[in-house]
Amino acid sequence: MPTSPDSVTHCPPEAGQARKRLAPSALNWLGVVPFFLFALLFLILPTATLMIGAFQDANGHFTLGNIAKLFDDSILSAYWISFEVSAASALGGSLIGLLLALAAIQGGLPAWIRPTLMTFSGVASNFAGIPLSFAFLSTLGRMGLVTVLLRNYADFDLYSTGFSILSFIGLTLTYLYFQIPLMVLIVTPAIDGLRAEWREACESLGGSSVAYWWHIALPILWPSILGSTLLLFANAFGAVATAYALTGSSLNIVPILLYAQIRGDVLHDQNLGYALALGMIVVTGLSNAGYIWLRSRAERGRE
Amino acid sequence: MAYLTINNLHKRFDDHVVVHDFNMSIEQGEFVTFLGPSGCGKTTVLRMIAGFETPTSGHIRVGGEDITHQSPQKRGIGMVFQSYALFPNMNVTQNIGFGLKMRKCDGAEIARKVAEVIKLVELSGKENHYPHELSGGQRQRVALARALVVEPRILLLDEPLSALDARIRKNLREQIRDIQRRLGLTTIFVTHDQEEALTMSDRIFVMNQGRVEQEGRAEMVYTEPATEFVARFMGNYNLLGAAETQRLLGLNINGHMAIRPESIHVLDAHSQQADTLAGTIRQHQLLGNIIRYQIESAGVTLQVDRLNRTASDLMPAGTEVRLQISRDDMREVR
Ligand SMILES: Nc1ncnc2c1ncn2[C@@H]1O[C@H](COP(=O)(O)OP(=O)(O)OP(=O)(O)O)[C@@H](O)[C@H]1O
Ligand SMILES: [Mg+2]
């Protein structure tokens, strides 16, 4: 067989080449070693430790106590607030992101809008943690630029309305900053998948623009939209750095509670921390699974 | 009066003129074909008739009414796309019923008409299938049914068969033509396949670079090409330039001389008939029922087709022959 490496090695003039041909496959494996090492050290091992730790007491004995504690009122309420912030930022992010992407792709805007939006979204969807919190504090914080401008020039005291950047609304707003661009990025391929002929076929059959969106485009996009919203939810649910950097311990959400358990202050209970983390993994895992399932459904319908 | 007339239609995309001064008229119930090479503007003309594209100038009239600037929804013109364009979120019944639903027909009427057309296109049993569960030929039949069920004034088919394999294509070709005849539908069919155009059409419009190069009944366009382009496109013509024509036939012409391969008679080398030319067989090619020879005469290579009756008919390369070409079979083209 001409393609088998053996037959090539039997052929003297090409022997050197054959060695070169074999080498890349070994090199390829060598190339992915760092990835597997990384995954092992920072993903698989910690997850395993965490899953085991969640079922152990401080002395290493098996217990369901940590899991039971998750159902304490204070912890349940932390999960609930996390859930609310994540859901609000996911719903808001997916709605605004969808409209933004639709406008940029199908709105008949100048051609440069789309790549600009995509580049911005690529950057902004990764903007999180301390820099993002700092940016929001310095615009919408008590002494933030926008707050001050509103007070001085529009005679409007944002904080008199009960607004606080350290609150539910504040955190949701901050999360939206990366949720919207993330939605733009993941829903764009689905919108690109809407074929011009569907609209034309609809028109020639007497359907209006509204009929097209209602009967054709939205039903086709629907699994993608729902799936993306789940992904956004998972993304917000796991976002610990931004939450902590922004609100410190003033807002009782799971990532912060978790951080408190691990950091080693008064609350310190490492195994409870593991259980908290396990709960987060379950929630984000479920919504990610939902995302993947819906995405495959969306792809299956394509001709 | 003609049913559909198009006058002085032009279409420009930016600086690129795609359709120039396009004129045509067709009668009610006629089946016509736009035939032309890729990029000659067939789809663009069709899209202007359907209303998806606005002409740069010119007029389109149906039944005396100017529809040039009417919205596609109001035209009542059905379109079948090369890529089917079925709605992936709807099953066969829903796809076909969509146009009736848009026309606010009641449920019972929709069900009745859809069932009728499903039978017409032979899709019984597939009512609840989704597009991704159908074969290419079945999808195209759904697309056809979807366009037919609303009883369009004109049906446009843009290369509806080009994505299908040869056997299904032939089958569906006959089916489309049959349905068209039964319903008396005014139909424009786009193709770049000359055989498809010849077998299906009442009339053919051969298009080249955004213009109608020649129009006529199918057999006319084939036997009497008006231009070099049509002669080349309709296939297999021997096209001789002015110098070659002078050398071979001793005739003075301006354009080209077109001679069909089957109209050249091959006689044996000792033939005493008048007005024959000496030739030498260079090559042959077996095409089933015919044998195609390359015969050189006066430095010109001619394609000559002969029926393949018995194995002993085959003349090997190098055979000296005499060729006879009747003046009636020579066609001077622009
Ligand atoms: N929306 C458009 N913008 C710019 N140019 C276009 C557009 N649509 C078509 N064209 C150009 O117009 C020319 C004719 O296109 P058209 O699709 O009508 O050709 P066609 O005869 O249907 O070809 P084919 O057999 O390949 O389908 C092509 O050169 C094409 O590039
Ligand atoms: Mg085309």
Side-chain angles (χ1 to χ4, degrees):
Chain A
M1 289 230 285
T3 49
S4 116
D6 288 326
S7 70
V8 178
T9 25
H10 292 318
C11 187
E14 288 188 29
Q17 208 187 335
R19 213 173 300 130
K20 260 190 241 143
R21 264 192 223 167
L22 284 176
S25 94
L27 266 180
N28 285 341
W29 280 105
L30 198 65
V32 292
V33 162
F35 167 75
F36 283 117
L37 211 62
F38 187 85
L40 185 72
L41 285 178
F42 296 98
L43 191 71
I44 299 168
L45 283 182
T47 311
T49 316
L50 191 149
M51 290 178 73
I52 297 165
F55 295 96
Q56 283 177 334
D57 62 17
N59 304 319
H61 299 301
F62 175 81
T63 176
L64 287 174
N66 300 315
I67 304 293
K69 268 194 218 152
L70 291 183
F71 295 92
D72 283 359
D73 281 350
S74 69
I75 293 182
L76 265 187
S77 83
Y79 268 106
W80 180 241
I81 296 178
S82 300
F83 182 86
E84 284 182 325
V85 172
S86 307
S89 73
L91 289 175
S94 73
L95 183 68
I96 300 170
L98 174 68
L99 293 177
L100 209 59
L102 282 174
I105 298 170
Q106 304 224 320
L109 297 172
W112 57 267
I113 295 274
R114 180 182 167 145
T116 310
L117 179 69
M118 291 305 143
T119 310
F120 172 80
S121 297
V123 176
S125 62
N126 283 308
F127 195 35
I130 295 172
L132 178 62
S133 311
F134 180 74
F136 266 79
L137 281 173
S138 54
T139 46
L140 288 169
R142 212 164 264 284
M143 295 308 289
L145 186 63
V146 173
T147 314
V148 170
L149 282 177
L150 280 175
R151 189 160 53 224
N152 291 357
Y153 293 99
D155 202 19
F156 176 72
D157 187 357
L158 192 58
Y159 277 74
S160 72
T161 63
F163 173 84
S164 163
I165 193 71
L166 307 178
S167 66
F168 170 79
I169 298 277
L171 192 57
T172 304
L173 214 59
T174 312
Y175 277 18
L176 278 179
Y177 186 84
F178 57 80
Q179 296 282 57
I180 295 172
L182 183 61
M183 181 66 180
V184 169
L185 289 182
I186 54 185
V187 85
T188 293
I191 297 174
D192 279 333
L194 290 176
R195 296 188 0 214
E197 298 101 77
W198 289 333
R199 180 192 281 275
E200 290 168 356
C202 172
E203 285 176 355
S204 72
L205 291 166
S208 62
S209 206
V210 173
Y212 165 71
W213 281 102
W214 184 249
H215 293 292
I216 298 156
L218 276 180
I220 292 171
L221 286 180
W222 188 237
S224 304
I225 295 173
L226 210 62
S228 306
T229 308
L230 282 177
L231 186 74
L232 258 53
F233 176 84
N235 187 43
F237 207 87
V240 53
T242 311
Y244 192 77
L246 192 65
T247 64
S249 50
S250 71
L251 193 63
N252 184 31
I253 67 171
V254 184
I256 289 171
L257 206 59
L258 169 65
Y259 191 61
Q261 301 307 325
I262 297 173
R263 195 182 44 183
D265 56 14
V266 226
L267 293 165
H268 186 62
D269 176 349
Q270 196 162 341
N271 293 101
L272 177 59
Y274 289 153
L276 281 167
L278 187 63
M280 284 180 64
I281 290 177
V282 169
V283 173
T284 52
L286 280 178
S287 48
N288 273 323
Y291 163 67
I292 291 166
W293 181 71
L294 284 164
R295 202 183 58 178
S296 69
R297 252 186 67 104
E299 276 160 12
R300 200 195 57 194
R302 304 245 176 275
E303 284 175 35
Chain B
M1 201 192 133
Y3 188 56
L4 168 70
T5 53
I6 295 180
N7 297 113
N8 310 105
L9 199 66
H10 285 258
K11 179 65 186 177
R12 199 173 57 223
F13 290 111
D14 301 323
D15 286 343
H16 183 43
V17 182
V18 172
V19 176
H20 313 250
D21 196 24
F22 186 94
N23 293 283
M24 70 176 282
S25 63
I26 63 180
E27 302 297 328
Q28 198 151 18
E30 216 180 347
F31 189 110
V32 305
T33 302
F34 290 173
L35 173 65
S38 185
C40 72
K42 305 181 295 290
T43 298
T44 307
V45 173
L46 220 56
R47 290 171 57 79
M48 287 191 281
I49 300 174
F52 305 140
E53 214 78 73
T54 311
T56 309
S57 65
H59 292 278
I60 303 172
R61 293 189 184 80
V62 177
E65 176 197 7
D66 191 329
I67 61 159
T68 316
H69 296 289
Q70 209 173 37
S71 74
Q73 285 94 340
K74 297 208 182 99
R75 293 190 184 200
I77 293 179
M79 175 104 172
V80 175
F81 298 82
Q82 179 175 356
S83 57
Y84 322 126
L86 298 180
F87 307 132
N89 57 314
M90 300 182 197
N91 65 23
V92 169
T93 307
Q94 292 164 329
N95 261 289
I96 299 177
F98 185 79
L100 296 171
K101 194 159 140 188
M102 293 299 108
R103 283 165 171 70
K104 309 266 184 298
C105 296
D106 71 66
E109 190 187 353
I110 295 180
R112 184 177 57 77
K113 287 190 170 172
V114 169
E116 223 167 76
V117 77
I118 281 181
K119 210 183 289 164
L120 185 70
V121 299
E122 295 171 16
L123 274 172
S124 305
K126 302 285 175 201
E127 287 84 352
N128 297 320
H129 285 51
Y130 281 83
H132 70 270
E133 300 167 325
L134 300 173
S135 71
Q138 290 167 340
R139 287 180 200 178
Q140 198 54 289
R141 274 186 280 192
V142 177
L144 183 65
R146 184 177 68 178
L148 289 176
V149 77
V150 295
E151 296 167 20
R153 300 197 284 176
I154 297 171
L155 181 65
L156 309 175
L157 302 138
D158 191 0
E159 308 204 26
L161 308 178
S162 63
L164 305 173
D165 70 48
R167 201 175 47 81
I168 297 173
R169 196 156 66 212
K170 273 205 171 118
N171 201 328
L172 209 47
R173 206 189 260 175
E174 284 162 21
Q175 220 178 348
I176 288 176
R177 188 63 166 114
D178 183 51
I179 291 171
Q180 183 272 338
R181 278 210 188 90
R182 261 197 273 170
L183 304 181
L185 252 173
T186 312
T187 305
I188 302 177
F189 186 97
V190 163
T191 181
H192 57 247
D193 179 336
Q194 45 111 348
E195 186 198 326
E196 200 161 271
L198 287 170
T199 53
M200 293 183 82
S201 329
D202 292 325
R203 254 188 322 146
I204 296 179
F205 291 79
V206 182
M207 289 179 61
N208 182 24
Q209 301 187 342
R211 287 194 176 83
V212 177
E213 186 90 12
Q214 185 177 357
E215 67 162 284
R217 305 195 57 76
E219 65 278 11
M220 284 279 288
V221 173
Y222 182 70
T223 53
E224 295 175 19
T227 66
E228 182 196 350
F229 174 83
V230 178
R232 280 191 201 287
F233 198 75
M234 294 313 291
N236 306 335
Y237 271 92
N238 288 295
L239 275 168
L240 311 180
E244 287 175 320
T245 308
Q246 169 63 34
R247 200 161 68 232
L248 187 71
L249 306 168
L251 297 171
N252 283 312
I253 57 165
N254 288 322
H256 282 75
M257 189 64 94
I259 306 167
R260 284 212 317 278
E262 67 271 24
S263 65
I264 302 177
H265 297 286
V266 182
L267 310 170
D268 81 66
H270 314 295
S271 168
Q272 298 300 314
Q273 288 212 33
D275 290 335
T276 57
L277 307 165
T280 311
I281 300 204
R282 291 292 172 219
Q283 261 182 42
H284 67 262
Q285 213 182 345
L286 203 56
L287 303 174
N289 61 337
I290 59 174
I291 305 170
R292 177 159 299 164
Y293 293 97
Q294 313 282 331
I295 302 179
E296 195 184 313
S297 177
V300 179
T301 305
L302 296 168
Q303 277 194 18
V304 179
D305 288 353
R306 296 191 82 201
L307 280 177
N308 183 16
R309 288 199 205 87
T310 60
S312 58
D313 277 355
L314 190 80
M315 295 176 286
T319 309
E320 300 288 335
V321 293
R322 296 205 69 85
L323 301 176
Q324 187 181 41
I325 310 172
S326 151
R327 185 67 186 84
D328 293 341
D329 291 324
M330 302 177 193
R331 185 151 299 281
E332 218 180 308
V333 295
R334 272 179 278 127

